[in-house]
Amino acid sequence: MDDTYDPQAVETAAQTYWNDTRAYEVSEDASRPKYYCLSMFMYPSGSMHMGHVRNYTIGDVISRFQRMQGKNVLQPMGWDAFGLPAENAAIKNDTAPAKWTYANIEHMRGQLKRMGFAYDWSRELTTCKPDYYVHEQRMFVRLMKKGLAYRKASVVNWDPVDQTVLANEQVIDGRGWRTGAVVQKREIPQWFLKITDYAPELLDGLDQLPGWPDAVKTMQRHWIGRSEGLEIRFDVDGGDPLTVFTTRPDTLMGCTYLAIAAEHPLALKAAEDDAELADFLRSCKSGGVSEAEIDTQEKRGMATGFEAVHPVSGERLPVWVANFVLMGYGTGAVMCVPGHDERDREFASNYQLPVKMVVADRGVIDAIHELDQDLAAGVLADPMHAALHGGQTDAYDKASAVRVIEEFSNYIREVEAYTEHGTLVNSGPFDGMNFEQAFDAVAKRLEADGTGQRKINWRLRDWGVSRQRYWGCPIPVIYCDDCGAVPVPEDQLPVELPEDVAFSGVASPIKADPQWRKTTCPECGKPAERETDTFDTFMESSWYYARYTSPGADAQVDARAGYWLPVDQYIGGIEHAILHLLYFRFYHKLMRDAGLVACDEPTSNLLCQGMVVAETFYREDGDRTKHWINPAEVDIQRDERGRITGAVLKADGKRVEIGGVEKMSKSKNNGVDPQHMIDKYGADTVRLFSMFASPPDQSLEWNEAGVDGMARFMRRFWREVNEHAGQPDHPEIDPGALDAGQRDLRRVLHETIGKVGDDYGRRHNFNTAIAALMELLNAVSKFDDMSDQGRAVRHETLESMVLMLNPVTPHACHALWQVLGHAQSVVEDQPWPQVDKQALARDSVKLAVQVNGKLRGTIELAVDAGKDEAERLALGVPGVQPFVEGKTVRKVIVVPGKIVNIVV
RNA sequence: GCCGAAGUGGCGGAAUUGGUAGACGCAGCGGAUUCAAAAUCCGCCGCCUUUAAAAGCGUGGGGGUUCGAGUCCCCCCUUCGGCACCA
C-alpha cells in the first residue's frame, strides 16, 4: 500500500467492493435487532446540493455506527419525483416534466453513489411511477368510502391574466409572479382528508415521542391548537343568528361589535342592496390566501347595517365585515372585545368603535385596595406608591394617589388592550370574579338560556389535497351527472398520468386534453368525466418510508413492515417541522386503521438538521442592481491579525462587496457545488467537514479553508497508520507492564472510545466526536515509544481509530483496516471497540480553586483524598493568599473532582 | 401578525447535570526544513493595562436568583425557520 493518500483511488476501490458484495442490501432477520435509519428522500431538482450532502451524511454515520453495534440496519433512498419545479423547468427548457425528472434522477443517483452512502439500492422507489402511486389512489378511494375524504369549496390564489391557480410561492407581494397581475381569492371545489378527526390523537401522541425535539413537538402542539371555550349564539335583527367561538368568555360583557368574513352569507345579504359594501367585499378578494399575508395586511372593515343582540345584556351590537376574519376557519364570525384583544383594539381604533374595559389589571385593583386600607389605617402604601410613580417616593395625599391610578387606567385604556387575566369589572352579574369563576358563570348562564355551550376548538384544518396541476398523482374520481363524485373502482386503478405531453405552462395537459377525461360512470355506465386535479405532493411523502420495507408488494405494504417499522431514526430539515411531519404522522394512523401497520407512530426518533449557509459577495450596477458573485471566484483579504478587511474578484483583482452569510441559494449565487468538492478532495473529506463544522441541528457554514484542514487530518491519519504498519510485529498488551507514558495514551484512547460512542449514538454531536479523534491523533503522533509495549499500545490506538472513524470516512477506513493486516475482514462488520475500565484509572485529580467565585489557582490531589485535605491544600495555594489575607473565611465549598470555592 | 429556534475570540464552534469559558479546526503571527515554492514539522494566538510579574474585563443588551450563571428566571434587541398550494 502506497503511503500517500489518494482519495479517488481509495474511494473507487471501496465502492467497487461494496457494490460487488452487495454490502448494504438487507432482509428481515429475527435473530438480530433491526435498525431502520431514514433520511428524507430527494426531490430530483437537477443536482445534489450541500443540504443533501449534510442530511445524507448524518444518516449514513448513524447507520454505519448502528451496524457496528450489531444491528440489522436498513437505510434506503428514493425520489420524491412529483412537484411544481418540474413544471417550471418544463416551461423554461421546453421538455416534458417526466423527461426532465427521470434525467435528474439518473444524474443524482450517480452523485449519491459517489458519496459512498450505505443505501440498499434494491429498495429504491420513485413516486411518479404508477407502481408507486397506485397504492395512494387505492388508499384514497377507501378513504372516500369511509367518509374520511370529502369535497368542499375552498379558496385559492387566482391569476386573472393566466387564468390559473397559483401556489403561495408564486404570489409575490399580492401579485402573480409571471403576469404581475393582482392575485384574487377564488373558491373552487376541492378534495380534503379529515385530519381533524385525528386531532386529539395527533396531539396526545406527541407525549409518546421522547425521541423528538421539543421544538418540533411544541410547534405541532400549537399548530393543532386545542383550546377550550364557549360557542355563543348572537341573534341578528332581520338575519340568521351568528355563532362565534371564544376562549375568553370572561370578556363577553366587553364585546362591543361582531365581525364576519367577506364571504359570510350575512355579508352577502347585506351587500345585496348596498353598492358600497358590495365594492368593499370585492376589494377583500384581492391579494393572496396565505396566513402570513392576511395576518399582516392592514385591518379593514365596513359596517353591514345589521345588529346582533348581546346574549346577556340584550344590547344591540353592530355587525362588521372585516378582512381578517376567514370563512375557512370556524364559523366565519367572531365577537370583538377591543378592551382585551390587540387585533380588536386596532380595528376599533381605526373605525371609532366603542371600547369597554371589563377586566381590571391586578395592579390597579390591588393599588386601590391597599391605598384604601392604608389611608384608613393612617399608613402610607409606599411600595405601590413608588411603583406607580416610577420609583419616586415623594409625599402624596389621597387625591393625588387616586389621580395616579386614574392616569394609569386611562393609559391602559388608550394605548393598548389589556390581554391578561384579571378581576371582572363593569360586568354586571359577573363583577369581582376571576377568569375561572367568570368562565364558569358565563357558561352556565348561556347554557341555561340556550344561547351558548362549552366547546373544544381545534386550530388544525382538514388537509386540502387537490392541486390544479399536471405533474402529480391523478385523483381517482369520476364525476357523473346522475351519480355525482364516484371513486374509480379498484380494479381500474391506477389512473395513469400520461408522461409524453407537450407542456405550455398555463393549462395542465390533462385538463387541456378533452379525450383524457372522457370515461363512463362506474355505477350507471353513462358518459362521465374524470377528475383532472392531482394530489398534493405531501401525499407521496407521507408513506414512502413504509413502502421501502415492502419492495414489490402487491398491497401498499406487507408483513415485512411489521419487522422494520417504526423508523428508528428519521433525519431531515427543520423546515418540515409541521407540515410534512404532521401529514406523515396522520397518514401512518390511516394505514394503521386500515390494518397495514401495527405501531401508532411512524418514527420514534427525529433529528432536524440545520441549513447549509455560505458567505455572499456582490457588485452593484449603476442602477444599484446587485450582481451576486460565487464564493469560488473571490479572494478574501485579511489584516495581520486575521480579520477580514475586504474581498476581491480573482479574475480582475478588484474589490467586491461582502453581503453576509446566507442560506446557499441560486438567487444569492453562494452555492458550493458538492461535485466540485468531491472531485477535488474526495467524498471522505467532504463528509468529514460536513460533520465537523457544526452540530447537526445548527446551521453549517461552508468554508473551503476548513475543508483543507480536514484533508490535512486525513493525510496525517493515513501516514500515521502506514508508518505503524511498517514497524515490526508487536506482542500483546500486558497492562501490568506499561510505563506512565503508555498508560497515559491508553487512558486517552479509552476515554475517547467512550466519548465517541456516546456522541455518535446518543448525542448525535458528530463534531465533538471528530474533535476527540483529532486530539487522539495528536496524542498518538507525539507518542514516539518504539518499545514492544509501545508498539502494542500504538496498534490498539490506531486500530480503534480506524473503527471509530469508519462511520464518517468509510472509504479510507476500508483501506486502512487492510493496511493494519485484516485483509479478509469488512470493517463495517467489526464490533465497536470496548472501553477498558481499568485503562481509565487515574492516581490524582486536578481541582480549580476559587475565592468568591473567581479562579485563583489549581491544586492536584490523590483521587481518594477527603474534603479536609482539599480545603487545606486550597488555602495554601500562592495565588489564593493575597485574596484571603486579612479577611474572614466564611465558608469553603468543595465539589469533589471539580472545584474548591473559598468564600471570604 | 402568530408559532418555534439561535446569538460565545478575527471565523466555525466546545463547555453533556449550575462548577477552571474558548476543546478541536480555520485564519493569522513567529520559527524549522527547502535553491525556491508546495507539502510537512515546532511554537504563539479572547480583549485591555503592562518591560515583566500581575490585575481588570469578557458568552447580543438590561435586570435578578446563587458561594458560583454561557447554562436558571424576568424584560428587551437582532437574525433565522414555519404559517396549511415550494419541497
Side-chain angles (χ1 to χ4, degrees):
Chain A
M1 183 69 62
D2 191 349
D3 66 359
T4 58
Y5 173 52
D6 175 359
Q8 305 298 337
V10 164
E11 291 174 7
T12 304
Q15 286 167 16
T16 303
Y17 179 83
W18 296 332
N19 202 43
D20 291 350
T21 57
R22 301 181 164 201
Y24 306 112
E25 286 183 23
V26 291
S27 56
E28 302 71 45
D29 173 0
S31 71
R32 278 189 297 163
K34 64 95 185 178
Y35 192 91
Y36 183 2
C37 182
L38 180 68
S39 295
M40 288 182 187
F41 62 168
M42 230 183 197
Y43 180 77
S45 55
S47 41
M48 187 168 68
H49 56 68
M50 282 298 178
H52 294 129
V53 168
R54 188 180 197 198
N55 191 175
Y56 301 149
T57 303
I58 293 167
D60 203 46
V61 171
I62 293 171
S63 294
R64 290 174 183 273
F65 175 72
Q66 291 296 338
R67 179 162 171 160
M68 296 177 79
Q69 303 292 314
K71 309 265 178 71
N72 186 27
V73 176
L74 168 60
Q75 194 188 202
M77 182 45 69
W79 308 96
D80 187 15
F82 278 135
L84 192 55
E87 297 197 356
N88 295 333
I91 298 163
K92 202 173 152 195
N93 309 324
D94 198 25
T95 59
K99 200 177 158 195
W100 179 85
T101 301
Y102 292 130
N104 289 344
I105 288 173
E106 282 308 306
H107 177 64
M108 293 171 84
R109 186 192 297 112
Q111 293 190 304
L112 290 176
K113 289 192 169 172
R114 182 62 193 84
M115 284 299 293
F117 298 131
Y119 295 139
D120 179 350
W121 283 105
S122 72
R123 294 166 187 262
E124 180 180 0
L125 57 81
T126 305
T127 61
C128 63
K129 292 190 174 164
D131 65 359
Y132 182 82
Y133 64 69
V134 63
H135 303 292
E136 196 168 305
Q137 293 178 336
R138 271 191 211 140
M139 176 63 103
F140 184 80
V141 300
R142 289 174 194 176
L143 293 174
M144 278 176 79
K145 290 169 191 162
K146 278 188 176 175
L148 286 168
Y150 67 98
R151 206 156 99 113
K152 71 168 182 188
S154 117
V155 63
V156 293
N157 302 305
W158 182 255
D159 186 318
V161 174
D162 268 355
Q163 297 277 302
T164 56
V165 175
L166 297 178
N168 283 336
E169 192 190 49
Q170 298 171 314
V171 179
I172 315 284
D173 297 328
R175 291 170 182 273
W177 66 344
R178 276 147 56 79
T179 63
V182 174
V183 167
Q184 295 170 359
K185 296 181 188 72
R186 173 172 282 212
E187 281 199 323
I188 57 172
Q190 308 209 68
W191 288 96
F192 286 81
L193 296 190
K194 270 198 187 165
I195 191 173
T196 50
D197 275 13
Y198 287 75
E201 197 193 341
L202 288 167
L203 182 67
D204 296 342
L206 293 169
D207 296 331
Q208 314 304 317
L209 293 171
W212 279 46
D214 289 334
V216 173
K217 289 189 281 189
T218 306
M219 280 190 270
Q220 291 211 352
R221 272 188 200 104
H222 288 139
W223 186 263
I224 297 166
R226 182 186 192 274
S227 56
E228 291 179 10
L230 243 52
E231 200 170 68
I232 303 175
R233 197 187 78 217
F234 286 76
D235 289 327
V236 174
D237 294 334
D240 292 332
L242 291 173
T243 303
V244 305
F245 174 82
T246 179
T247 57
R248 289 295 303 273
D250 60 317
T251 64
L252 177 61
M253 301 310 285
C255 172
T256 56
Y257 63 102
L258 299 186
I260 59 177
E263 304 86 17
H264 196 282
L266 191 64
L268 301 177
K269 186 176 176 185
E272 277 168 10
D273 39 34
D274 182 342
E276 207 186 332
L277 184 62
D279 271 352
F280 176 74
L281 296 190
R282 254 191 300 282
S283 78
C284 286
K285 285 194 191 302
S286 72
V289 299
S290 82
E291 189 184 299
E293 189 176 333
I294 287 161
D295 244 2
T296 50
Q297 73 190 347
E298 194 200 345
K299 313 263 175 296
R300 293 183 306 126
M302 201 168 162
T304 59
F306 283 111
E307 283 187 328
V309 183
H310 192 285
V312 176
S313 69
E315 236 180 310
R316 294 294 187 271
L317 306 173
V319 177
W320 282 61
V321 179
N323 65 343
F324 57 83
V325 183
L326 301 177
M327 202 58 215
Y329 292 103
T331 58
V334 294
M335 73 172 214
C336 297
V337 185
H340 305 287
D341 179 274
E342 283 301 340
R343 192 181 62 184
D344 296 348
R345 163 59 57 99
E346 187 189 331
F347 191 81
S349 304
N350 289 346
Y351 293 103
Q352 285 83 48
L353 287 158
V355 177
K356 189 177 166 196
M357 305 293 291
V358 292
V359 179
D361 170 41
R362 197 68 253 164
V364 172
I365 293 280
D366 288 351
I368 293 167
H369 185 69
E370 260 182 59
L371 204 70
D372 283 347
Q373 282 193 330
D374 291 352
L375 285 171
V379 186
L380 296 184
D382 281 337
M384 185 52 64
H385 180 243
L388 292 172
H389 272 287
Q392 291 169 30
T393 52
D394 49 310
Y396 68 100
D397 53 26
K398 177 157 187 176
S400 72
V402 166
R403 199 166 57 243
V404 166
I405 290 166
E406 278 174 356
E407 279 169 14
F408 190 60
S409 307
N410 285 336
Y411 166 80
I412 286 179
R413 206 160 288 174
E414 280 161 24
V415 174
E416 54 187 14
Y418 180 72
T419 57
E420 309 288 314
H421 291 178
T423 303
L424 268 65
V425 295
N426 264 332
S427 294
F430 312 110
D431 272 355
M433 292 181 179
N434 66 22
F435 173 79
E436 288 80 13
Q437 294 163 334
F439 190 118
D440 223 46
V442 169
K444 281 197 179 119
R445 163 91 187 241
L446 298 187
E447 277 166 352
D449 292 353
T451 52
Q453 56 182 342
R454 292 169 200 264
K455 201 190 166 199
I456 290 164
N457 200 51
W458 302 87
R459 207 186 80 97
L460 184 68
R461 287 142 42 190
D462 276 337
W463 178 12
V465 295
S466 294
R467 296 293 179 271
Q468 295 68 47
R469 272 185 259 291
Y470 157 70
W471 189 234
C473 169
I475 297 178
V477 175
I478 291 166
Y479 299 102
C480 169
D481 287 341
D482 294 344
C483 309
V486 181
V488 175
E490 293 202 26
D491 59 8
Q492 292 176 28
L493 294 175
V495 176
E496 282 200 41
L497 185 75
E499 293 191 345
D500 186 16
V501 295
F503 190 73
S504 67
V506 176
S508 157
I510 60 173
K511 288 184 191 298
D513 178 358
Q515 290 308 310
W516 188 84
R517 70 171 79 173
K518 268 192 192 161
T519 187
T520 53
C521 174
E523 300 205 342
C524 68
K526 280 209 235 167
E529 295 209 338
R530 291 188 186 281
E531 170 68 86
T532 57
D533 282 357
T534 53
F535 282 135
D536 177 7
T537 56
F538 278 128
M539 273 296 237
E540 287 87 55
S541 55
S542 293
W543 64 280
Y544 73 109
Y545 67 95
R547 183 68 187 174
Y548 283 136
T549 67
S550 309
D554 291 335
Q556 191 159 19
V557 298
D558 62 23
R560 290 172 286 173
Y563 175 81
W564 292 110
L565 293 179
V567 170
D568 293 280
Q569 181 69 59
Y570 194 31
I571 304 139
I574 184 72
E575 68 273 18
H576 297 290
I578 294 172
L579 292 179
H580 162 62
L581 289 170
L582 193 62
Y583 293 142
F584 146 94
R585 292 182 58 220
F586 166 55
Y587 205 100
H588 185 86
K589 292 172 196 298
L590 292 177
M591 289 195 291
R592 179 199 62 194
D593 294 346
L596 292 164
V597 296
C599 47
D600 289 326
E601 292 283 343
T603 184
S604 40
N605 293 288
L606 174 69
L607 193 160
C608 290
Q609 102 262 7
M611 297 173 303
V612 181
V613 298
E615 191 64 81
T616 57
F617 303 95
Y618 66 92
R619 273 181 181 162
E620 270 182 356
D621 257 0
D623 64 354
R624 308 285 301 254
T625 311
K626 285 177 177 170
H627 293 273
W628 299 96
I629 299 164
N630 195 274
E633 297 163 36
V634 171
D635 276 328
I636 306 283
Q637 299 175 313
R638 295 170 189 278
D639 66 12
E640 76 286 348
R641 293 171 83 159
R643 281 183 292 229
I644 292 171
T645 54
V648 297
L649 190 65
K650 283 178 183 168
D652 61 12
K654 287 182 195 153
R655 199 173 172 83
V656 297
E657 303 304 316
I658 298 175
V661 172
E662 305 236 23
K663 179 178 177 172
M664 279 191 184
S665 70
K666 279 193 183 132
S667 61
K668 294 284 170 70
N669 192 17
N670 63 337
V672 176
D673 182 10
Q675 193 61 52
H676 177 68
M677 290 291 117
I678 297 165
D679 293 345
K680 185 167 174 187
Y681 295 97
D684 279 341
T685 297
V686 171
R687 293 167 59 115
L688 185 64
F689 179 74
S690 59
M691 292 299 94
F692 177 70
S694 63
D697 54 351
Q698 287 181 33
S699 64
L700 181 155
E701 189 178 329
W702 195 267
N703 153 264
E704 197 169 335
V707 185
D708 274 323
M710 297 306 104
R712 256 193 299 275
F713 171 78
M714 290 304 291
R715 285 194 294 267
R716 280 183 63 201
F717 181 46
W718 186 270
R719 201 176 55 235
E720 199 68 38
V721 172
N722 275 281
E723 277 175 13
H724 167 73
Q727 295 293 317
D729 281 352
H730 55 84
E732 291 278 298
I733 292 177
D734 175 1
L738 301 180
D739 66 23
Q742 292 158 354
R743 277 204 308 275
D744 281 348
L745 181 59
R746 273 204 96 213
R747 193 181 58 246
V748 174
L749 168 63
H750 285 273
E751 282 170 356
T752 305
I753 292 172
K755 177 174 175 55
V756 172
D758 188 45
D759 279 353
Y760 282 169
R762 180 182 63 91
R763 295 213 305 157
H764 296 148
N765 276 12
F766 311 105
N767 56 327
T768 52
I770 295 164
L773 289 164
M774 288 174 166
E775 286 184 78
L776 184 58
L777 180 64
N778 291 341
V780 76
S781 59
K782 280 199 190 94
F783 181 78
D784 51 11
D785 181 343
M786 288 301 166
S787 69
D788 279 1
Q789 285 297 309
R791 294 201 312 285
V793 170
R794 184 183 298 103
H795 188 84
E796 182 192 18
T797 306
L798 291 172
E799 199 165 85
S800 303
M801 275 192 77
V802 171
L803 293 170
M804 287 191 281
L805 273 164
N806 180 64
V808 184
T809 59
H811 309 85
C813 293
H814 174 85
L816 290 172
W817 189 246
Q818 293 167 49
V819 171
L820 287 170
H822 303 278
Q824 298 305 313
S825 301
V826 183
V827 67
E828 282 84 6
D829 290 330
Q830 292 302 307
W832 188 254
Q834 291 296 305
V835 177
D836 177 353
K837 293 223 170 71
Q838 291 192 327
L840 297 176
R842 286 171 181 274
D843 308 329
S844 64
V845 288
K846 219 166 113 186
L847 261 64
V849 180
Q850 299 180 332
V851 180
N852 287 349
K854 281 199 184 294
L855 182 69
R856 298 300 177 192
T858 58
I859 53 171
E860 187 148 1
L861 74 169
V863 202
D864 51 3
K867 287 195 173 187
D868 293 347
E869 172 75 357
E871 191 172 328
R872 192 182 59 77
L873 282 171
L875 285 165
V877 172
V880 169
Q881 291 297 317
F883 297 96
V884 179
E885 243 162 345
K887 290 173 182 145
T888 322
V889 175
R890 280 176 38 213
K891 204 178 348 174
V892 178
I893 292 154
V894 180
V895 182
K898 296 265 169 73
I899 62 147
V900 180
N901 191 12
I902 300 160
V903 186
V904 300

